[in-house]
Amino acid sequence: MARNNTNNNKRALMGVLLVLLLMGCYACYELLLVPALRGSTLIDNPTAKAITVGIDDKVYNVPARSFEKIHLSEGHHRINCKEHNITDQDLDLDPTAFGVINPTQSKYVIYNIIYSEKNLKSQFKPYMVEGREVYSMLGEPEVTTALFIPDRTLGKGNIDDKAPSVKDYNRLNQDYSFLTKIFRLNDFFDFYDKNNQ
């Protein structure tokens, strides 16, 4: 009888430990892994002066030449930025909440970076980007001043994400893979000049 009680107590203790372990794993997943997988929502300020941005009922101070990482849900919001004459304007985070909020109405470039170990130069076409000739394989680079610029990769192509090297990038296609990345205009030209020689 005492042996049965001891076995039952061990089973109960093991069950409790298993539940605690699962809860700990879930907490680690929610706190550490999910934010890393989801991407980021950034209020960007590439200008030389600090700005104050109000979104819904929250105010963010964004220093010059930096960004503020924030958490917003997908959907409709209201934005204000006195320094750039934005007063109670619609801010729609759609189809994703991840990307760049651009209250300064600065220029950004959305560009498809190609990863390949093969020579694909013959497949690239020339396009004009702000008066410069730029080559691209998957369509024209997009220049935008939109108030919200969605991260089309949902977590790998925002301005705070460093473009991976060919060796580090997971290729699904044997010929090439690509990453759609958002750049500040000057950062785009720096990246292009460095990587397309």
Side-chain angles (χ1 to χ4, degrees):
M1 190 77 164
R3 181 177 279 176
N4 282 344
N5 282 342
T6 303
N7 285 341
N8 287 341
N9 287 342
K10 285 182 182 178
R11 283 189 203 137
L13 181 61
M14 291 297 283
V16 168
L17 289 174
L18 182 61
V19 168
L20 289 174
L21 178 66
L22 291 174
M23 287 174 57
C25 289
Y26 180 74
C28 286
Y29 169 77
E30 283 293 322
L31 294 173
L32 302 175
L33 190 58
V34 167
L37 292 175
R38 284 192 183 148
S40 52
T41 305
L42 308 172
I43 302 172
D44 191 37
N45 178 16
T47 69
K49 293 184 179 179
I51 60 173
T52 301
V53 178
I55 299 178
D56 298 332
D57 296 325
K58 197 160 183 183
V59 175
Y60 304 92
N61 296 309
V62 187
R65 295 183 183 90
S66 67
F67 56 80
E68 183 75 24
K69 189 180 253 188
I70 64 171
H71 297 285
L72 285 178
S73 61
E74 287 181 39
H76 184 75
H77 300 274
R78 303 297 286 175
I79 186 170
N80 295 284
C81 181
K82 188 172 113 179
E83 295 87 354
H84 291 275
N85 301 317
I86 297 174
T87 305
D88 204 30
Q89 191 169 329
D90 290 332
L91 173 66
D92 292 310
L93 275 57
D94 187 40
T96 177
F98 310 124
V100 176
I101 298 170
N102 180 19
T104 65
Q105 298 161 346
S106 298
K107 290 182 180 180
Y108 293 82
V109 177
I110 301 169
Y111 182 71
N112 293 311
I113 303 169
I114 303 298
Y115 293 91
S116 178
E117 293 175 357
K118 295 185 176 185
N119 184 347
L120 302 174
K121 284 186 179 182
S122 64
Q123 297 181 40
F124 282 72
K125 295 180 183 175
Y127 297 96
M128 293 305 290
V129 175
E130 296 297 301
R132 284 194 52 189
E133 188 174 71
V134 171
Y135 286 81
S136 176
M137 187 171 124
L138 297 176
E140 183 174 0
E142 181 183 342
V143 178
T144 181
T145 59
L147 186 56
F148 178 65
I149 305 159
D151 177 359
R152 296 173 185 164
T153 67
L154 306 180
K156 293 183 179 85
N158 210 335
I159 62 171
D160 64 331
D161 296 310
K162 185 178 177 190
S165 68
V166 172
K167 290 179 184 176
D168 295 335
Y169 197 71
N170 183 18
R171 292 189 307 269
L172 301 175
N173 182 311
Q174 290 184 6
D175 290 334
Y176 71 91
S177 59
F178 72 96
L179 172 66
T180 303
K181 177 115 175 64
I182 304 168
F183 293 91
R184 291 175 176 167
L185 182 63
N186 290 337
D187 292 344
F188 169 70
F189 288 126
D190 290 344
F191 171 85
Y192 185 83
D193 291 342
K194 184 178 178 183
N195 292 284
N196 293 287
Q197 300 186 17

